[in-house]
Amino acid sequence: MATVELKNLRKTYLTEEIIKGISLSIEEREFVVFVGPSGCGKSTLLRMIAGLEDITSGDLLIDGQRVNDVEPGKRGLAMVFQSYALYPHMDVYKNMEFGLKLAGMPEAERRAKIEHVARTLQLEPYLHHKPGQLSGGQRQRVAIGRAIVRNPKVFLFDEPLSNLDAALRGQMRVELSALHRKLGATTIYVTHDQVEAMTMADKIVVLQKGVVEQIGSPLELYHHPRNLFVARFIGSPPMNFFSAIFQGGDAAGSSVQLRDGSTLHVPVTSPGLLPGTKVTVGIRPEHVELASSGPNSGVVEVIERLGAITLVHVRMPDGEIIVVQTDGAVLTDVETRVSLTLPPRNCHLFAPDGLAFEACHRHPLAA
Amino acid sequence: MALKTKTSTRIGVTILAWGIALWLFFPIFWMILTSFKSDVQAISSPPKLVFMPTLSSYAEVFERASYWHFALNTMIVSVGATAIAIALAVPAAYSMAFMPSKRTRSTLLWMLSTRMLPPVGVLVPIYLLARNTHLLDTCTGLAIVDMLTNLPIIVWMLYTFFREVPAPILEAGRMDGATRWQEMTMVLLPLALPGIASTALLSLILCWNEAFWSLNLTSSNAAPLTAFIASFSSPEGLFFGKLSAASTLAVAPILIFGWISQKQLVRGLTFGAVK
Ligand SMILES: Nc1ncnc2c1ncn2[C@@H]1O[C@H](COP(=O)(O)OP(=O)(O)O)[C@@H](O)[C@H]1O
Ligand SMILES: [Mg+2]
């Protein structure tokens, strides 16, 4: 088991800087997820850790040792690629054996190890099949098996589930989490899917354009997003945003005036912001409540019934749409007028530069 | 683009293809036919299509020159040049395909452009180099020159084949602890084997048929089959029967070889193009 430390890592291709100084500590046994939109540099960062890309500047430490110039095969890592990257000319057994053989492990030991891993991953019937004869899910297992047999200090995954269909993806997500609990190995997992990030991670690193937007536990990111980008990216359906005018604040909270003239008192601090500044209010669909009358009224435009829950899209007088997640059995229909209640403790405020106002009280699950 | 071509178009294309194929094959056919004629029949006008076949030309050819000596030289030179060229081209193509730099494409184009130079342009320097290194009229000398002339094409072809191998598979090998050498020999080569085979095949054919350097750099010891044909072409007037027999003997092995391996060859030559 191992720790990984990134110290101001940078990567430049030709003249373009892709990774712009990333620092991060990964603890032993931790499951860390790099998440961010496509093209933000997740894969590049992972490949720098793996040794498949040169590090332009900064230090990479594994177990306290600087490994910038260590060959990929000697860093004690194993990687699962998005395309699985199995050796097409070798059967499943040989695929798993390749690394062990190169490491000079004796035949009997190799066999025992591969058979053990194959049993864990239910790959025994396929040991002598070529990758071309396997389904996507089975190939995925082989790729994971090939990583496990090497008993690496750190597992690296680059979008390993993105080529699977939705049902299988859900199943593999659970299996990977269980496997991580069982093996207890430090894991770095790259995905663009925030659901994968939320469900699997001990720690999420949100990336955008080569910079870290926020690092924290899933619930920390959910309850206390550091800025608009993270607030928008984490959570499904995404957070609602609308503008308001900052009126003033103290240690107990900040007051903002909404478009319809009503005042909202949110328990967040607002150091140094001038009254009259335009700010953004954010609230998640699951926190907005429907009322039949009251302030903040709008017209229901679309209703999405998912069975257990219902998503109600309400058009406000200023034209903005606010999505409300509510009970599956709610009777509201399209074209009807509803009022929205915005519980202040669930509201987020964002300054003009996109940074969130600090909450007065941390959420108990995100301490 | 229409998926189904019209029947009339298809028939037209088929006729055209057969026409071209027959047009290209006719000289070979005529050569083989002539080789079974006596020298007198060979020059009769109008040419005879129906005649009593005879092996007399072949008998005379074998009597006059040692076919096996020339054939062995051709084989040594072709196989040797191909083996060395592949050995040099694999690492070159590997680095260009998987570790390209800004200048990789222009390097490839430049290499190919050297093929466009007429060989006679470098005849004198190459001849002098061969003479000064005592490689004139040796299989080694001819193999080196053949190898160098074909190297650009071979690197280019291997580069195209290697580009088809997904890079993550090689990277997986590297993660598994393979050195660059092991990555190339244990992962890349088995995957690119069909492509390497077609490339080697093409190189063999090019070397087998190479005449310019053979005629200029060899005289007797290392003379290959192309020189064997040439030796029947003029000195005592034109004896078309013997010339045809000698030519047939010279091209027969590679023709048969090419026929057997044509599937591989066509697949290889269209590999990059048909995706
Ligand atoms: N070899 C390369 N040369 C130049 N630019 C690259 C190269 N690889 C990746 N990039 C660029 O780096 C950025 C990040 O890519 P990547 O790490 O693959 O993103 P992600 O995995 O988050 O989708 C992209 O804008 C991509 O165009
Ligand atoms: Mg990626």
Side-chain angles (χ1 to χ4, degrees):
Chain A
M1 304 308 107
T3 61
V4 179
E5 200 169 346
L6 281 58
K7 286 186 179 165
N8 200 20
L9 283 193
R10 287 172 190 275
K11 173 80 190 174
T12 308
Y13 280 123
L14 304 179
T15 54
E16 197 187 352
E17 193 165 55
I18 305 288
I19 300 294
K20 297 167 185 159
I22 291 187
S23 300
L24 169 71
S25 286
I26 298 170
E27 315 279 315
E28 243 169 61
R29 294 166 181 271
E30 208 168 22
F31 196 118
V32 174
V33 174
F34 295 170
V35 69
S38 193
C40 70
K42 310 176 294 285
S43 297
T44 306
L45 186 58
L46 191 74
R47 291 164 56 81
M48 287 161 76
I49 296 172
L52 297 171
E53 298 281 357
D54 291 334
I55 294 168
T56 307
S57 74
D59 293 316
L60 172 65
L61 281 67
I62 297 178
D63 274 341
Q65 299 282 326
R66 187 176 183 274
V67 294
N68 285 41
D69 304 314
V70 176
E71 286 290 304
K74 298 212 161 64
R75 294 189 184 188
L77 316 170
M79 182 151 167
V80 175
F81 293 81
Q82 179 171 5
S83 56
Y84 316 138
L86 300 176
Y87 310 121
H89 56 301
M90 302 183 196
D91 64 17
V92 171
Y93 186 90
K94 293 223 169 72
N95 260 280
M96 295 205 263
E97 191 187 31
F98 188 68
L100 304 181
K101 226 169 164 176
L102 290 177
M105 185 185 281
E107 153 94 52
E109 204 177 322
R110 295 202 299 257
R111 177 163 296 275
K113 256 196 127 130
I114 294 169
E115 276 168 5
H116 176 74
V117 170
R119 209 169 309 128
T120 317
L121 293 172
Q122 292 141 41
L123 282 172
E124 279 168 309
Y126 313 108
L127 275 179
H128 297 290
H129 286 37
K130 291 267 176 69
Q133 297 165 283
L134 303 177
S135 70
Q138 290 164 342
R139 282 180 215 184
Q140 177 67 80
R141 272 172 217 279
V142 178
I144 293 169
R146 184 173 65 178
I148 294 176
V149 286
R150 297 195 48 225
N151 206 5
K153 291 196 269 191
V154 183
F155 282 102
L156 308 177
F157 290 90
D158 191 355
E159 311 225 9
L161 306 185
S162 58
N163 286 344
L164 302 177
D165 62 54
L168 202 52
R169 203 179 313 150
Q171 184 192 331
M172 284 305 292
R173 215 164 59 205
V174 175
E175 280 186 38
L176 278 176
S177 290
L179 200 64
H180 174 250
R181 233 185 351 269
K182 194 165 135 195
L183 299 174
T186 310
T187 301
I188 307 177
Y189 186 106
V190 162
T191 180
H192 65 269
D193 178 355
Q194 60 96 20
V195 177
E196 274 174 37
M198 292 296 283
T199 51
M200 300 169 85
D202 294 319
K203 183 151 91 189
I204 297 179
V205 179
V206 182
L207 295 171
Q208 190 202 193
K209 294 183 184 149
V211 282
V212 173
E213 292 288 349
Q214 190 171 3
I215 302 177
S217 71
L219 290 185
E220 221 175 313
L221 266 53
Y222 177 82
H223 290 294
H224 303 292
R226 208 176 66 84
N227 56 31
L228 269 174
F229 179 81
V230 177
R232 204 174 276 133
F233 196 78
I234 298 288
S236 165
M239 190 184 275
N240 297 297
F241 298 99
F242 43 90
S243 52
I245 305 295
F246 178 67
Q247 289 182 313
D250 52 32
S254 309
S255 299
V256 293
Q257 187 179 38
L258 303 185
R259 291 274 183 89
D260 68 348
S262 63
T263 300
L264 195 65
H265 194 74
V266 186
V268 295
T269 60
S270 52
L273 210 61
L274 291 175
T277 312
K278 204 172 142 192
V279 295
T280 305
V281 181
I283 184 162
R284 299 194 181 278
E286 54 270 42
H287 294 143
V288 187
E289 286 157 23
L290 282 184
S292 47
S293 65
N296 292 319
S297 72
V299 179
V300 176
E301 194 160 280
V302 175
I303 291 203
E304 295 180 279
R305 294 191 180 275
L306 302 176
I309 59 165
T310 303
L311 299 179
V312 183
H313 298 241
V314 181
R315 188 170 291 281
M316 304 308 282
D318 55 13
E320 281 176 288
I321 293 264
I322 292 195
V323 180
V324 183
Q325 178 179 323
T326 177
D327 200 40
V330 74
L331 293 174
T332 318
D333 209 345
V334 284
E335 305 282 302
T336 54
R337 181 161 280 277
V338 291
S339 275
L340 306 182
T341 313
L342 312 172
R345 66 175 189 287
N346 289 323
C347 288
H348 304 260
L349 291 188
F350 301 92
D353 60 4
L355 282 183
F357 291 27
E358 190 108 18
C360 296
H361 313 284
R362 301 287 288 181
H363 191 278
L365 290 177
Chain B
M1 205 177 93
L3 281 178
K4 274 188 193 158
T5 15
K6 270 195 296 197
T7 319
S8 57
T9 323
R10 244 193 3 243
I11 292 172
V13 168
T14 309
I15 291 172
L16 190 69
W18 272 99
I20 292 173
L22 287 175
W23 175 265
L24 290 175
F25 183 69
F26 182 75
I28 297 171
F29 165 75
W30 197 251
M31 172 186 83
I32 295 172
L33 202 68
T34 310
S35 74
F36 289 105
K37 294 176 179 174
S38 67
D39 280 327
V40 180
Q41 287 169 327
I43 51 169
S44 73
S45 175
K48 283 196 182 120
L49 263 177
V50 185
F51 60 93
M52 194 62 190
T54 165
L55 286 174
S56 65
S57 296
Y58 284 93
E60 277 178 64
V61 164
F62 273 109
E63 207 170 286
R64 233 186 67 184
S66 151
Y67 172 75
W68 295 111
H69 168 72
F70 292 95
L72 189 67
N73 281 340
T74 290
M75 247 178 283
I76 291 171
V77 169
S78 308
V79 172
T82 299
I84 301 169
I86 296 280
L88 290 177
V90 164
Y94 164 70
S95 71
M96 288 188 196
F98 295 106
M99 286 146 271
S101 75
K102 273 181 291 182
R103 276 178 280 279
T104 297
R105 275 219 89 83
S106 29
T107 309
L108 274 166
L109 281 172
W110 167 75
M111 279 174 36
L112 210 59
S113 74
T114 61
R115 278 289 297 193
M116 294 158 198
L117 185 76
V120 72
V122 288
L123 174 60
V124 175
I126 296 266
Y127 183 86
L128 293 179
L129 278 172
R131 194 193 61 190
N132 294 348
T133 48
H134 305 290
L135 289 173
L136 272 186
D137 200 19
T138 61
C139 287
T140 318
L142 186 56
I144 290 174
V145 174
D146 278 3
M147 183 272 286
L148 289 174
T149 24
N150 292 336
L151 201 52
I153 297 182
I154 293 177
V155 171
W156 185 282
M157 276 183 74
L158 288 183
Y159 169 81
T160 319
F161 288 121
F162 289 178
R163 285 284 298 255
E164 306 278 323
V165 175
I169 296 179
L170 301 194
E171 289 169 350
R174 220 173 303 159
M175 293 302 295
D176 263 347
T179 59
R180 291 283 179 174
W181 175 255
Q182 288 168 325
E183 181 186 320
M184 201 168 74
T185 53
M186 298 165 89
V187 183
L188 176 62
L189 289 195
L191 291 179
L193 205 55
I196 296 172
S198 347
T199 310
L201 222 54
L202 184 78
S203 164
L204 275 179
I205 293 172
L206 289 175
C207 292
W208 195 282
N209 297 335
E210 200 287 318
F212 179 79
W213 293 113
S214 310
L215 294 176
N216 285 299
L217 297 181
T218 67
S219 50
S220 57
N221 276 336
L225 286 169
T226 40
F228 170 77
I229 300 176
S231 73
F232 282 91
S233 68
S234 52
E236 313 118 45
L238 285 179
F239 295 95
F240 280 114
K242 284 203 277 294
L243 182 60
S244 300
S247 303
T248 306
L249 282 170
V251 300
I254 202 71
L255 219 56
I256 294 168
F257 185 65
W259 186 267
I260 294 170
S261 51
Q262 61 173 326
K263 269 218 178 88
Q264 179 67 46
L265 199 60
V266 169
R267 208 170 78 86
L269 291 175
T270 53
F271 194 25
V274 186
K275 265 207 134 172

